Each structure stands twice: as C-alpha cells, then as structure tokens.
Amino acid sequence: MKSIHSVVAVTGLNATDNPGPGLTVIRSIRQDPDFKGRIVGLAYDTLDPGIYAREYVDDVFLLPYPSQGIEALRERLTYIRERSGVEVIIPTLDSELPAFMALEEHLRAEGIGTYLATQEQYDLRAKDRLAAMGEEAGIQVPRTVVVADPAALYKIHEQLTFPCFVKGLFYGAELARSIDEAVVAFHRVVAKWGGPVIVQEYVHGEELDVVAVGDGCGGLIGAVPMKKTYITDKGKGWAGVAIKDPNLLAITRRFMAHSKWRGPCEVEVIKDSGGAYHLLEINPRFPAWTYLSAGAGMNLPMAVVRLALGETVAPMTTFTAGTMFIRVALDQIARLSDFQQVASTGEMLSSGGKI
Amino acid sequence: METQQKLKDLAVSETGFVFDPHTGNSYNTNETGRAILLALKEGLERAAVVQLLKSDFEIFGDDLERDLDEFLFLLRENGVLPQHFTL
C-alpha cells in the first residue's frame, strides 16, 4: 500500500492503571512499515505519561479541557495545525468526542482529516439508549433502567434483579448487591460523573471485547475480538487473547448495520455460562488494548489514518487468533527540562516547529 | 458452530498444549489426549480412534473405551467440543 508521510495527532496520552488509548493507537501506527510520517501527541495534563514517551511521540501539545468549550478547542487546534502541520487527528477519549465531532467540518476546511461517527450515531449507543438500540438491532442487552432520583432505586427490584451495575452516563461503574449498596453507588456516581445513572443487571460470564472500525455505510472495515485473560481490581483487562468467535463478529456487524457507525469503537460483551451473548456497552473510540489488532495482523488505527486522509480501505478479514497481549507497567525517565517546557509553554516540539 | 470447523481450528502443539481460538481457552493434555485430539481433527471414526490408541499406546480392554469417553466428556464440558458431539 501507499506510504503515509502525514503528520498524525492522537489524543489520550494518560497511561495510568486505567490507561487512555492514545499510546496504543500511536504504537500501532508506528508499527506499520508504510507509516513514514510524524506523530503529534495531544494531552490534557502535564503529567500525562505519553508526553514523555519520546520514542513514540515527536511533538506534544496540551489541549484545553472539554469543560472549556468548543471554541477554545477550535482555536488551539488551529494553532497546533500552524505549528506542527497536523493532517489527521484521532481523538480517543469519550469526553472529548462530541467537541471533535462538532468541529469535523471546520477541521476538514483547515486540512485536517478525521474519521468519526456523527452525533446521531454517538447518541444511539449511549448507555441510556443502549437497551433500545439492542432491541432494534436484534442484540441482547442486560435489563437496564435509567434512574434520575435515588427514590426510584427502592422499586428497581420490580424491573431487574440484584446484583446490578450502577453506571455513570459516560464513565464509571459500581457493582451493587442490594438496594442500600445501589443508593450509595448512585450518590457516588452522581457526585463524580453527574446524573442520571444507568442501572444494569449483572450478568456473570466471560468478558469479551471487540475493537472494530465501521465504514459509515453499515459495513465493517475490520474487527478483532478479544477475550480478557487477566482482569485488574478496577475491572480492566490487563491481558487478553485474540479469538475467532463468529458470534462476536455477528454482534459487531449487526451494530454496524443498524447504526451505520463511522470510525473506531469497542464492543463490550459478556458470554454467560449458557453460551448466550449480552452486549454491555459500545465505546465510541479505540480501546486501550488496540495494539493487539496491529499485533494480530489487522492494524485498525492505520486503517483509520488512511480513511481520514480520504483513501479507500478494503474490508479487512484476517488476523491471527491466539495472539496475546500482556500489559506491563514501566517507569520511564523524564527530563526536568521537558516537563518544564510542557508546563510553561503547553508544548514540546522535537522538530522545533512546523516541518 | 460446525464441529469439523471447530476441530480444524483447534491448535494442538507437539508438547500437548491446546489452544481453542474460538474461546481463547488453553489446556494441557498428555500424549494420549493429544493423540485423540489429532485423530478427531483428522475426522477418524470411533473404531479407528480405538484402534490407533491400541496400536500406539498398547492399551487394551474396557478401560480404553471408558477412558476415551471420559476424555470426550471433558472436552465437551470445557467447550472444546459441542455438547451434542458423540463419537
């Protein structure tokens, strides 16, 4: 395929024990022999670990937090474009996606390509609408109730059984085994992420995920299913293995056909002991384990780079089942001068400016 | 899922490490178990599997068939073979 000499910017450089997907996306792109371009890391905090992963990130810029509004982001991206020549942006964090989707036309006019879902598609898979979407698409979803008032929790047993998950609209999930625990979880989730909360029936089983890219017309550019083989106390997959499960691909295809999803997403599924599949969530971006797709021979981030540049990418169907990932936490040494530069100027350019 | 496809995709190493790419589960089996799995992958009938075990492992009598059934039960229980699989 054609070599890519573009400047690609990727967000989500936080890489703690609940890592953002930025570095996994960047590593995937870097691994592709056709990528000859540069990587710009877009971070929100001066201590986002990916900023200091200099072997992966050429230039770094801080972005305004989503709470500062779209206009602040637009101005910053225009500046970054002028400084570093960014031609593609891959946002990877849930909270920033609505702003990037709203700016898609503007970015295109400035010569920056993206490959994102529309706001309508984004809303369709929102946690408070997932059950309805599943019903329409023919995908089984655990019983789900949207709760705005904690008083409603005292009657929730009429609609679903305990235990259940109490989830924030965008982030966070707590397991509750009783009404008392559900009320506590409700207040904790609302205090942290705002209301309403989503109460979802707990399904015991194997945790399975799919990283996928939709073509925006109801089709699938590619997908790699994964089974979590090691789960942290935060419920995050620390190790996993690529699997060839046709049922997972069928669920993913049904979602794509129904939503006409454009861009990357993660499909989270539980397979119960009876062999039934339950859709838990659709995350509207690449997951933190995306590097497995590149490792298994289906480089989905690189496909998104090509699509964002306007290239045609044929559907990808092959990957090596049995390819594993095992995450590792390493201490990287950072120079005080680099930290100082990011903290005082909000940027760090290895090239010294636009190339 | 078709039993033959599942068996075809099953990875069985020389050391007896078994990987099921449909579920992501992996197992270890001994030389006899490995021989049975390879025979199933080849599509051998029960009589042929029994004959192969007799010739390769010098096992005779009722124990052989009982052990074979027990191993098949384990494969079904672990989802390596479909629940309806019989030999």
Side-chain angles (χ1 to χ4, degrees):
Chain A
M1 289 184 86
K2 196 172 110 182
S3 291
I4 299 288
H5 295 267
S6 305
V7 181
V8 177
V10 180
T11 69
L13 300 190
N14 51 318
T16 57
D17 57 345
N18 181 16
L23 276 181
T24 193
V25 169
I26 291 169
R27 288 185 75 207
S28 303
I29 296 167
R30 282 253 186 250
Q31 181 179 298
D32 194 299
D34 288 336
F35 184 74
K36 316 281 186 202
R38 296 170 54 76
I39 296 288
V40 171
L42 302 177
Y44 289 96
D45 191 282
T46 51
L47 281 178
D48 279 348
I51 293 173
Y52 306 96
R54 304 309 307 273
E55 67 272 40
Y56 296 120
V57 180
D58 296 305
D59 299 340
V60 174
F61 293 88
L62 292 185
L63 291 180
Y65 279 102
S67 58
Q68 293 181 42
I70 289 178
E71 190 54 29
L73 178 65
R74 189 188 65 76
E75 284 178 16
R76 185 64 174 159
L77 292 176
T78 298
Y79 171 81
I80 292 168
R81 160 79 179 156
E82 288 167 0
R83 285 283 282 162
S84 66
V86 166
E87 294 161 276
V88 170
I89 295 182
I90 303 180
T92 67
L93 301 174
D94 299 44
S95 56
E96 68 189 7
L97 278 167
F100 277 98
M101 290 187 298
L103 288 174
E104 188 175 7
E105 285 297 322
H106 168 79
L107 292 173
R108 188 180 302 133
E110 290 216 335
I112 300 175
T114 57
Y115 198 69
L116 299 171
T118 63
Q119 185 67 48
E120 193 184 347
Q121 293 164 351
Y122 180 85
D123 293 341
L124 191 69
R125 40 56 52 197
K127 290 178 189 178
D128 57 340
R129 292 178 60 183
L130 189 71
M133 189 282 291
E135 198 169 328
E136 288 165 12
I139 304 170
Q140 196 170 340
V141 177
R143 276 177 287 189
T144 304
V145 181
V146 180
V147 176
D149 179 354
L153 292 171
Y154 291 93
K155 287 190 174 180
I156 202 126
H157 62 278
E158 294 171 5
Q159 296 176 73
L160 49 77
T161 56
F162 284 94
C164 59
F165 277 109
V166 179
K167 297 182 168 184
L169 202 51
F170 299 106
Y171 292 105
E174 293 196 21
L175 186 65
R177 295 169 190 81
S178 64
I179 289 174
D180 291 339
E181 286 187 7
V183 171
V184 172
F186 175 93
H187 289 296
R188 255 202 303 252
V189 168
V190 168
K192 200 165 182 184
W193 305 111
V197 304
I198 288 85
V199 182
Q200 189 178 66
E201 199 164 63
Y202 171 77
V203 179
H204 179 72
E206 288 181 335
E207 294 192 28
L208 309 168
D209 288 345
V210 184
V211 56
V213 175
D215 67 3
C217 302
L220 196 57
I221 294 293
V224 177
M226 177 273 286
K227 177 190 170 182
K228 292 181 186 176
T229 53
Y230 188 97
I231 298 170
T232 66
D233 55 357
K234 282 190 175 177
K236 303 297 170 187
W238 199 256
V241 59
I243 58 173
K244 186 180 166 185
D245 185 332
N247 295 306
L248 285 174
L249 290 176
I251 289 171
T252 307
R253 285 186 192 284
R254 279 204 288 277
F255 167 68
M256 294 297 175
H258 180 72
S259 66
K260 298 190 167 44
W261 188 262
R262 182 173 183 265
C265 68
E266 178 190 29
V267 181
E268 292 190 10
V269 175
I270 289 274
K271 182 182 177 185
D272 69 25
S273 53
Y277 293 74
H278 308 261
L279 175 65
L280 294 187
E281 280 182 19
I282 307 259
N283 294 315
R285 36 78 188 159
F286 278 121
W289 55 273
T290 296
Y291 187 61
L292 180 67
S293 80
M298 187 186 285
N299 197 328
L300 293 173
M302 192 59 181
V304 166
V305 169
R306 290 187 183 281
L307 289 161
L309 286 168
E311 288 188 22
T312 302
V313 175
M316 300 183 283
T317 54
T318 57
F319 63 90
T320 306
T323 308
M324 298 168 60
F325 80 88
I326 305 172
R327 201 163 281 165
V328 60
L330 292 172
D331 300 332
Q332 58 180 359
I333 299 301
R335 292 181 300 188
L336 185 62
S337 57
D338 287 349
F339 175 70
Q340 177 191 312
Q341 196 177 342
V342 175
S344 56
T345 67
E347 62 188 59
M348 181 164 57
L349 284 79
S350 60
S351 60
K354 187 172 175 179
I355 51 171
Chain B
M1 190 178 308
E2 288 299 314
T3 304
Q4 280 310 314
Q5 184 62 46
K6 200 151 174 16
L7 281 168
K8 185 183 161 212
D9 291 340
L10 202 65
V12 183
S13 80
E14 286 185 6
T15 59
F17 181 80
V18 181
F19 175 70
D20 181 349
H22 293 259
T23 63
N25 293 333
S26 55
Y27 313 88
N28 276 306
T29 186
N30 60 16
E31 215 175 320
T32 322
R34 179 175 176 273
I36 296 170
L37 282 170
L38 292 177
L40 294 176
K41 280 171 72 69
E42 279 182 37
L44 296 190
E45 299 292 333
R46 184 181 181 93
V49 176
V50 169
Q51 187 53 46
L52 180 139
L53 293 172
K54 279 180 180 171
S55 61
D56 285 7
F57 297 96
E58 297 180 355
I59 318 168
F60 301 97
D62 293 341
D63 281 356
L64 191 156
E65 300 237 5
R66 197 172 56 237
D67 289 350
L68 175 60
D69 284 331
E70 191 181 333
F71 186 66
L72 294 174
F73 172 79
L74 278 176
L75 294 177
R76 285 194 300 267
E77 278 297 290
N78 285 284
V80 180
L81 292 173
Q83 282 296 328
H84 58 77
F85 180 85
T86 54
L87 187 67

